[in-house]
Amino acid sequence: MRIGYDGKRAVQNFTGLGNYSRYVVQSLSAFAPENEYWLYAPAYRENQQLSSMVAESRGAVSVHYPSCWLWKRMASLWRVGGIRGTLKRDNIQLFHGLSNELPLTIHKVREVKSVVTIHDLIFLRLSHCFSLVDRLIYNYKCRYACKHADHIIAVSECTKRDIIHYYGIPADKISVIYQGCNPLYACRAGEDKRHEVKRRYLLPDRYILSVGTIEERKNALTIVQAMEHLPDELHLVLVGRPTAYIHRLKEFMVKAGLRGRVHFLHGIPSSDLPAIYQCAETFVYPSVYEGFGIPILEALQSGIPVVAATGSCLEEAGGEHSLYVNPHDVKGLAAAIVRTQEPSVHATMIEEGLKWARRFTQEQMARETLECYRKVLTKEI
């Protein structure tokens, strides 16, 4: 098969959707190198992760940009519409939109089948977190993709339910295919690496950890508030890109006298993150809403207990032996964190969490995705 992908985020993004895009293509090329995987991106950007992936694929993966001078000048328009001619010219059999959208009018290209991955419909679930313009754009693109794709991949059962609820898509048009996480998290950092990372980032001796953009939806303020109910020697480390929301956290920290117990990190290289996870005592993820929750898998693979929020899909990521609380229950969150410190509970959560995380493998994701492609091309779905 020659499969095309919307490669914009694989090229330009270094977290989130970029990680997912690279993970999918890297996994497929590793387990099915006989196929050709063509990534289409509107503009070049230096990206060592992508370059390494392309090199390791030994020709299975290639990256393509607009070749016509006109489309180079109008790269964004090429991505949403002009790419149609490119796909026909390149004899692409199936095009996979990796991030909630497909090129407009792709349904008119009869020679090319299409699949789209829908990560979440948070812009509908938590509309107050988005501007009106963003909501309209995201909703238009996502609705179009769901309507016109030959098949939809949802990253969780929660997302599948949202697609059915908001867009009226038949359930049999949607397959749930879970993503795994980078195998680096399953590798235990040595004592020297842990010491180096703690020294470099000035990490405290004892800390709980949360990873993700510091924004309202991720709900880090609840963790900060819970720190008032936890032992003074236990600190909080928040890893993620800051937004204006961070000021709310800092204001509370000042009032509560917590400035010395909360630490912010961002721009951490992927090679250091596993050690930061593995030095933590508990991973805390009280996000109000998620499409899946990859940081939870990263924590489980790293061998630390997880406390997460109810209300979306996080139970799917964390399994039955992680702990879950209402995302706004400060005292409940603190109590759950304390419970993970109990030796017998701690040991059980680590053991069962590692078992659960083994369900989410690259091979499983690749196998299910390739089977989806095959069924679309043979019109079985």
Side-chain angles (χ1 to χ4, degrees), residues 200-217:
R200 181 183 306 159
Y201 301 111
L202 303 177
L203 297 175
D205 290 333
R206 296 185 60 201
Y207 63 89
I208 60 175
L209 175 69
S210 191
V211 176
T213 303
I214 301 173
E215 60 182 343
E216 182 179 358
R217 174 173 62 87

Side-chain angles (χ1 to χ4, degrees), residues 196-271:
E196 174 199 342
V197 164
K198 277 197 165 187
R199 178 185 55 79
R200 181 183 306 159
Y201 301 111
L202 303 177
L203 297 175
D205 290 333
R206 296 185 60 201
Y207 63 89
I208 60 175
L209 175 69
S210 191
V211 176
T213 303
I214 301 173
E215 60 182 343
E216 182 179 358
R217 174 173 62 87
K218 299 290 187 181
N219 195 32
L221 180 58
T222 299
I223 318 176
V224 176
Q225 291 170 333
M227 294 299 292
E228 287 192 295
H229 307 282
L230 296 172
D232 290 344
E233 64 271 18
L234 191 61
H235 290 230
L236 168 63
V237 174
L238 294 168
V239 178
R241 178 179 59 84
T243 68
Y245 174 73
I246 198 172
H247 298 301
R248 292 173 57 185
L249 276 63
K250 291 182 176 180
E251 287 175 6
F252 181 85
M253 288 159 52
V254 170
K255 292 178 182 178
L258 292 169
R259 282 186 297 180
R261 293 177 59 200
V262 181
H263 311 263
F264 298 97
L265 300 176
H266 66 93
I268 304 298
S270 57
S271 57

Side-chain angles (χ1 to χ4, degrees), residues 79-192:
R79 177 173 174 257
V80 300
I83 194 174
R84 182 174 65 174
T86 306
L87 298 178
K88 291 176 65 176
R89 180 200 68 196
D90 293 341
N91 296 315
I92 297 297
Q93 296 170 267
L94 181 145
F95 185 85
H96 186 169
L98 294 165
S99 54
N100 284 30
E101 59 184 300
L102 289 171
L104 302 180
T105 72
I106 193 171
H107 63 285
K108 296 182 179 180
V109 188
R110 296 179 181 177
E111 300 90 340
V112 182
K113 298 295 183 181
S114 62
V115 170
V116 65
T117 294
I118 303 298
H119 295 267
D120 58 67
L121 299 184
I122 292 173
F123 53 89
L124 296 176
R125 282 285 184 183
L126 301 177
S127 57
H128 65 280
C129 294
F130 299 82
S131 69
L132 175 60
V133 172
D134 283 346
R135 291 202 309 271
L136 292 174
I137 292 173
Y138 296 157
N139 190 39
Y140 177 80
K141 287 182 175 181
C142 200
R143 184 184 294 275
Y144 172 88
C146 288
K147 178 180 178 180
H148 293 289
D150 290 292
H151 201 70
I152 299 166
I153 293 173
V155 300
S156 67
E157 292 290 347
C158 178
T159 294
K160 179 176 179 177
R161 291 193 296 270
D162 280 353
I163 296 168
I164 295 169
H165 173 74
Y166 284 104
Y167 296 145
I169 302 297
D172 60 4
K173 189 181 177 179
I174 309 168
S175 296
V176 174
I177 300 179
Y178 292 112
Q179 177 189 357
C181 69
N182 193 314
L184 279 175
Y185 293 93
C187 301
R188 294 296 167 261
E191 194 63 37
D192 289 346

